[in-house]
Amino acid sequence: MTDPNAIQPSELDQLPDRDPEETAEWQASLDAVAKAAGPHRAAYLMRRTLERAEGAGIALPKLLETDYVNTIPTAAEPSVPGDEEMEARITAWNRWNAAAMVTRGSKHGVGGHIATFASAAWLYETGFNHFFKGKEADGSGDQLYIQGHASPGIYARAFLDGRLNEHHLDNFRRESGGNGLPSYPHPRRLPWLWEFPTVSMGLGPLSAIYQARFNRYLTNRGIKDVSASHVWAFLGDGEMDEPESTAALALAAREELDNLTFVINCNLQRLDGPVRANFKIVQELEAQFRGAGWNVVKTLWGSAWDELFQLDTTGALVRRLRQVPDAQVQTYQTRDAAYIRQDFFGADPALVEMAKLLSDDKILDCFHFSRGGHEPRKVYAAYKAAVEHKGAPTVILAQTVKGHTLGTGFASKNANHQMKKLSVDEFKAMRDLLGLPIADSAFVDGVVPYAHPGADSPEVRYLQERRAALGGPAPARRVHPVAPLPAPAEKAFASFDKGSGSQNLATTMAFVRLVKDLVRDKETGKRWVPIVPDEARTFGMESLFPSLGIYSPKGQTYEPVDRDQLMYYKEAKNGQILNEGITEAGSMADFIAASTSYATHGETMIPFYIFYSMFGWQRTADQMWQLGDQLGRGFLVGATAGRTTLTGEGLQHADGHSPVIAATNPAALTYDPAFAYEIATIVKDGLRRMYGEAAPGEDPDVFYYLTVYNEPLPQPAKPSGLGIDEGIVKGLYRFNTAESAGLSPAANAPRIQLLGSGTAIHWALRAQQLLAEEWGVAADVWSATSWSELRRDALEADEALLRGEERVPYVRQALQGAEGPVLAVSDYMRQVPDQIAQWVEQDYSSLGADGFGLSDTREAARRHFGVDAESIVVASLAQLAKRGEVKATAVKEARERYGL
């Protein structure tokens, strides 16, 4: 029977053999080894030959999976500098206090996680003692993406070094009273400690890759040399199931990000059970990362296994380790030596003989405790190999036991993620195991004590000396005192005030024109970071290609096909545009790195990320939340916005709800501008607030979301009069009245107020004309630039009222005295304009594009959703008829006249 995996003759024909006789000799040698020493020996020789070829730079497919053993053998491990015994004592104190903090918190019902840090303690401590650079180091120090569930261990270390006290620890997960500690890494809640929010699994690894890439971007553009900074991402093996965790592996390898290290804590457990019950997650991850081009270092077994590997003269042990699925490894963790002898060693006669040479204690030591991730010497060797490797990022696959040192009730149990406390007896057993000097009398009324060796103890002095040598405390977030950015020249904004005259201009293009002027500013132009996932030409950005360049760490190694054109595709090592290809998630990760550079690197950058609005918030809203948590600043631009404005594209492209999602984010200032001058005013004010001089009470740690449209329309001049700019920023102003529009209504004409946002204001203006000319109704038209900012202001007024302060919401102030009912309309679902309904004193109603989008012309789509000018007229007449201000028959007549 033919082997389906064998190379077929037709394939061989594609590989010309210049010396068939030599080839036959190699094949015969392989056959001889397989016959004389067995297929395992033949496979071993082939793997070693491939490894030698790879090391020599011979072009062969890489070996994607190696044996289930440590990449760095014991004999090759470097010595660990420093005092290993002292570091063990420090780690013991941190283990204790992390467990004590969560256990004490459980009395208040706030939960917490113990087992993750217990498994990963040495992965962190080795880095803190020897590798992780602080903020005072070269560049900007290192960037640490801490695994969210390990936060108690980080707090415990901050307690040991004096940055936290017992009061802080006792308020773990209890923040409302002040001096509390957030459950996970949350920069907005603890901004002096945490830099990166990571507990929304998958976002940490994705962000770490783009942070490392952005570090290179800053260096290559000459903004700041951060080449000495290293990005460390601590991840769980279960977390790697998230698609975002592996979405950008190829990017990291392609751009040779050797300033990046992933440390994956392979304790083989998800939150509720094994990661790969019937398979081996380490081997799977190794193949995945190697295939993507990463350097892989496996740190699986502790020193207790050295003797076993020395006894393995036939390779039977290595073969057996490759065979045993992860869930069975977990079972060994909880079983006695007799079971392990029978199930593991009994599978091969050679292993049966090996087991006879091993005591029960030796077997239990190996299978219960001895993992590479629990031994600082092995972790140090892996970290050293990672930082010294050049040309590719490194992933360290460190095998650990979840719940290590917490006792048999925790170790490797499927339920340990939900186990929030230890009993007093379990703590005493842990104390004895760790060798901590904690007396039984310290347990008062059954409460586990925090333990500290003293501020002037050898352990604390050693810890602080090590951190001083590495550049200060870590993790730490620091906002460097930098001068506010100077405001760009007024000319860039004022050019939009006069309108576009007879020229039609889409607001998407208006925004791009504004940015083109702003990036030319001598003071701040270089700090703009244009980000686009793809289709830059759709948004009219191709003119930026030759002037700003598209960032590429390799520059441009080819001649672009459009080199003879004015707007050719130009890539450059110092390029300014981040053109990411089709990845909204990657583009958002770019935006987060750029928008927080003011804190991470002390360099203020101004990112704007422009995208199809339907594929922004809907697809990456979790990252927008991450952005807000990380205190990012910048401009998100949802282009080709609206449910009826993008002609022909249909349901999946028709955005009728992104402002609803955006309104749920407390850090997002959402605007739906109608006109070019509104965009200029909003951007100008955003630059002032985020990068210039924020007004008293204004939070600069916000980001702006602007929806812009691809419908070319005349852009009017900015109306004259006081308060226009204020109204644009606050969310509402009167664009015109029936009188100022030249419609000459009768003195006693019924009147209605039409509120429109974005492109909908053009339908409102057409309806204003129809109402006046055909129905004798006077309509005033208002531009509602931000429904959500109006709502936010009104909510703040309500909160002030509860405190006994009288404050009138801005929306009520603006509409005060406006005659008639109010009808609001937008190109989004009615929920968007309805955000302000309860604060409007007049009769209020709305129109919107609820439901699914569809493919058609703009006119047909608007008629379908009932938001076109004629629909606005009918809705206006209906409201006035309810008030008795027009005849009820007018509504029916209008429907028939307009074909509704």
Side-chain angles (χ1 to χ4, degrees), residues 611-671:
F611 50 87
Y612 264 90
S613 68
M614 186 63 164
F615 307 139
W617 283 91
Q618 176 168 285
R619 181 166 288 181
T620 58
D622 195 12
Q623 288 178 284
M624 273 74 162
W625 200 267
Q626 178 190 14
L627 166 65
D629 195 357
Q630 202 167 318
L631 289 79
R633 305 169 183 173
F635 296 95
L636 297 173
V637 184
T640 59
R643 181 146 281 166
T644 71
T645 306
L646 188 60
T647 56
E649 291 287 1
L651 185 152
Q652 288 189 333
H653 285 66
D655 173 22
H657 56 277
S658 69
V660 178
I661 308 175
T664 66
N665 192 308
L669 277 62
T670 304
Y671 288 90

Side-chain angles (χ1 to χ4, degrees), residues 743-825:
L743 298 174
S744 304
N748 60 347
R751 188 172 290 270
I752 190 169
Q753 309 298 318
L754 301 179
L755 278 57
S757 68
T759 195
I761 202 170
H762 296 280
W763 323 329
L765 289 169
R766 172 61 179 154
Q768 179 189 46
Q769 184 178 6
L770 291 174
L771 283 166
E773 294 176 352
E774 300 185 11
W775 305 99
V777 172
D780 300 338
V781 176
W782 300 69
S783 180
T785 53
S786 179
W787 308 101
S788 62
E789 283 305 290
L790 293 173
R791 176 179 176 81
R792 182 170 290 163
D793 171 79
L795 289 172
E796 291 172 357
D798 286 354
E799 292 171 6
L801 187 61
L802 290 175
R803 297 191 300 267
E805 304 170 18
E806 289 292 337
R807 240 193 74 186
V808 180
Y810 174 78
V811 64
R812 188 170 295 168
Q813 294 178 44
L815 290 170
Q816 187 173 15
E819 299 177 32
V822 170
L823 175 62
V825 60

